[in-house]
Amino acid sequence: MFTGIVREVGRVEAVERRDGSVRLVVRAPETAAGSTVGDSVSLAGVCLTAVAVEDGTLSFDAVPETLRRSTLGRLEPGAGVNVEPALRAGEPLGGHIVQGHVDGVGRIRAVSDEGIEVEAPEDVLRYCVEKGSVAIEGVSLTIARLGETSFTVALIPHTREATTLGDVQEGDELNLEVDVVAKYVERLTVR
């Protein structure tokens, strides 16, 4: 489990494609210093298992299912990625409960000084409400406005500086995760 509070922006050092899977090697010295093989780490909003930790880098294997549901398969060496180690008992939950289970990929419709508008699939939008939580690339954000086919989030200067969201452009695709509580409420009430 994660909070959606990004701890570090890592840099992709290598992308190794193998039999439908991808091995990602990411330079993230702060996260690597506190990680061991087997730890869960959120990478661009996707929960992955560290398979190697050495010299300030972490390596992860993304399987075909993960690649189909996220943007990880499009990463190239040099790309920045939001990195968050798993929440440990006793740490503050500063954002919201984020599982690292991507619900869909959205596309940036507009970027402004205030924030970003994201065109999202219907199966993501159904769980979105104004002032509700959403994770974009692993960043916990609040939905400011909800449209027919999109939602808008405001971005404070710190979020732009401390995450990859400060570099997004119109047309970029981003990993989206809705609030898991909304999914459970639907499941319990639709029966």
Side-chain angles (χ1 to χ4, degrees), residues 113-134:
D113 290 340
E114 186 178 332
I116 55 175
E117 181 182 3
V118 180
E119 186 176 341
E122 174 54 38
D123 56 345
V124 168
L125 286 171
R126 70 189 286 165
Y127 299 109
C128 294
V129 296
E130 282 191 19
K131 306 304 178 212
S133 298
V134 67

Side-chain angles (χ1 to χ4, degrees), residues 44-170:
V46 180
C47 179
L48 296 172
T49 301
V51 296
V53 180
E54 51 193 29
D55 300 325
T57 65
L58 299 126
S59 297
F60 307 94
D61 290 330
V63 298
E65 168 72 3
T66 302
L67 298 173
R68 277 191 299 275
R69 293 183 177 264
S70 73
T71 62
L72 291 185
R74 298 179 203 120
L75 289 175
E76 296 293 335
V81 287
N82 295 323
V83 180
E84 180 188 359
L87 181 65
R88 290 184 163 84
E91 290 181 336
L93 182 62
H96 73 279
I97 296 171
V98 178
Q99 295 181 299
H101 301 164
V102 172
D103 292 304
V105 173
R107 183 179 303 278
I108 299 292
R109 183 180 282 173
V111 178
S112 69
D113 290 340
E114 186 178 332
I116 55 175
E117 181 182 3
V118 180
E119 186 176 341
E122 174 54 38
D123 56 345
V124 168
L125 286 171
R126 70 189 286 165
Y127 299 109
C128 294
V129 296
E130 282 191 19
K131 306 304 178 212
S133 298
V134 67
I136 301 177
E137 291 291 298
V139 181
S140 175
L141 296 164
T142 302
I143 297 169
R145 282 183 299 285
L146 188 59
E148 292 284 320
T149 60
S150 66
F151 62 84
T152 301
V153 293
L155 295 177
I156 63 171
H158 175 78
T159 301
R160 289 181 191 269
E161 294 165 13
T163 73
T164 60
L165 296 181
D167 297 326
V168 297
Q169 298 177 15
E170 206 172 294

